[in-house]
Amino acid sequence: MPRAPSPSPSCVDAPELCGYIYNWTGLSWLAEGSYYLLLKPLRILMIILLAMLARFLIHRVITRVVRSAAGTHTLFNPIRSRIPGAVPPPTPGVAERRGARAEALGSILRSISSAVIFAVVVMLVLGELGVNLAPLLAGAGIAGLAIGFGAQNLVRDFLSGLFMLFEDQYGVGDVVDVGAVVGTVEAVGLRITTLRDAQGVLWYIRNGEILSVGNKSQGWALVIVDVPVGFTNVEQSAEVLRSAADALAHDEQWADDMIEPPSVLGVEQITPDGAVLRTTVKTPSEAQWRVARELRRRLTDSLQAAGIADRISAGRVYIRPPATGLPGATNGQAETGAGGAT
């Protein structure tokens, strides 16, 4: 039986494999095509398998880091939170908030890692198939540069949203002040933050346009209530307010909504209507509005019960200009606004 012709000199890509296949099978066409029929597919398969393994390991590391950081103050918190005494102890719900933020960041990091691995695999596979990657990479670089200039606002919004989420500047349900709008956060995206203001208007704000954020729902809040007491006895009025504040502090219904008991600081300012006394109380951020309303109500009722509110209203004098054309009203009085007291 005649032996098959030996492989041609073109079998140069994998001479050892080519010779081994030819000696094993005696088929020159299989030996000459072994590089593309066997070696190339095996290399591509190995690239894909290694990429899948790398993706699995990277995702596993990200998941473990996210889970461990969700219960600590070491990673997903501002640097100041790691300084002893720099911030007060966490209030209820902080752990849940930290866990939700960590999971969101983990999802983003896993998506980014998958995209990077996929891009690298595609380039390696194209290189194995003999595609010249130099023009492709050059074209991709030029296209990326053009897109970067044209979509720089989009990139800025994306990066701003990523860092806002990473630093926990605000979250869904927080009441924030972003300068132009004050409202409740309804959705936080990597490009758009959605706020609903007190009138019910829904605002869509690009993250890149948010230069400063005032979060009224993080940590604790200080409720400040200024009460005018007129020209009454300041010590007596302060004692009445202090008794009402102490009653609120000892009320079991409101005890969980106060970090520190209310305190009457004293005279805050002097106005034409008399003195203004200030009362403060430190509360969890989510309880500040209801505590403020209850404190105002109790302070008002205490002044009314002590008769101080009646003395305040009785001692007020309002000056009004007389109506023009009335008998006895001169032109000078009408111009200068002189008139009787009511």
Side-chain angles (χ1 to χ4, degrees):
M1 181 176 181
R3 184 175 178 82
S6 61
S8 65
S10 62
C11 187
V12 295
D13 291 323
E16 296 181 358
L17 178 64
C18 182
Y20 177 78
I21 295 296
Y22 177 74
N23 293 330
W24 184 45
T25 62
L27 301 175
S28 60
W29 65 270
L30 183 59
E32 292 179 0
S34 60
Y35 181 73
Y36 294 98
L37 295 177
L38 296 177
L39 189 58
K40 284 289 186 180
L42 287 177
R43 285 185 177 180
I44 294 175
L45 180 61
M46 184 61 66
I47 291 173
I48 295 175
L49 291 177
L50 290 177
M52 294 177 62
L53 179 61
R55 179 179 178 273
F56 171 77
L57 294 177
I58 292 175
H59 283 200
R60 186 176 180 85
V61 170
I62 292 174
T63 301
R64 295 190 63 177
V65 171
V66 164
R67 288 180 179 176
S68 62
T72 63
H73 295 270
T74 57
L75 181 61
F76 296 105
N77 286 299
I79 296 177
R80 60 186 177 85
S81 65
R82 289 175 253 164
I83 303 175
V87 293
T91 56
V94 172
E96 291 78 3
R97 178 190 181 96
R98 190 185 304 123
R101 187 174 78 257
E103 289 297 332
L105 286 172
S107 177
I108 295 173
L109 293 177
R110 285 190 290 268
S111 299
I112 293 176
S113 63
S114 298
V116 172
I117 292 174
F118 176 77
V120 173
V121 168
V122 169
M123 288 189 294
L124 291 177
V125 170
L126 291 178
E128 289 294 331
L129 295 177
V131 177
N132 188 4
L133 296 180
L136 182 62
L137 293 177
I142 296 175
L145 188 62
I147 294 174
F149 277 110
Q152 53 184 325
N153 289 332
L154 180 62
V155 175
R156 183 175 65 176
D157 295 340
F158 178 83
L159 293 178
S160 298
L162 185 63
F163 280 102
M164 285 178 182
L165 184 62
F166 184 83
E167 297 169 356
D168 191 26
Q169 297 180 12
Y170 52 80
V172 176
D174 289 352
V175 178
V176 298
D177 183 352
V178 295
V181 182
V182 178
T184 304
V185 179
E186 293 202 347
V188 179
L190 291 179
R191 195 181 72 88
I192 292 292
T193 294
T194 305
L195 299 180
R196 189 176 297 275
D197 63 15
Q199 288 75 34
V201 180
L202 195 63
W203 294 81
Y204 298 91
I205 305 175
R206 288 170 39 202
N207 294 329
E209 298 296 325
I210 300 177
L211 302 180
S212 60
V213 179
N215 195 323
K216 301 181 179 181
S217 301
Q218 274 188 350
W220 54 272
L222 186 65
V223 174
I224 300 176
V225 178
D226 291 335
V227 180
V229 296
F231 293 98
T232 60
N233 187 288
V234 173
E235 291 298 329
Q236 179 186 2
S237 301
E239 186 61 31
V240 171
L241 297 180
R242 193 173 292 110
S243 299
D246 291 341
L248 177 62
H250 292 86
D251 192 335
E252 295 182 357
Q253 181 180 356
W254 296 93
D256 294 337
D257 289 337
M258 288 181 286
I259 299 176
E260 296 179 0
S263 176
V264 179
L265 302 182
V267 179
E268 176 63 23
Q269 58 179 325
I270 300 295
T271 68
D273 290 332
V276 176
L277 299 183
R278 170 162 293 185
T279 304
T280 63
V281 57
K282 182 180 290 187
T283 71
S285 56
E286 67 275 5
Q288 57 178 316
W289 290 283
R290 59 176 178 267
V291 172
R293 287 190 291 267
E294 180 65 16
L295 181 61
R296 293 191 193 100
R297 185 187 69 81
R298 296 201 178 207
L299 296 181
T300 303
D301 291 346
S302 65
L303 293 177
Q304 186 68 38
I308 297 178
D310 296 333
R311 280 182 277 168
I312 296 173
S313 59
R316 287 177 178 166
V317 176
Y318 299 95
I319 306 299
R320 68 178 183 185
T324 57
L326 291 179
T330 62
N331 291 335
Q333 289 175 329
E335 292 175 357
T336 59
T342 60

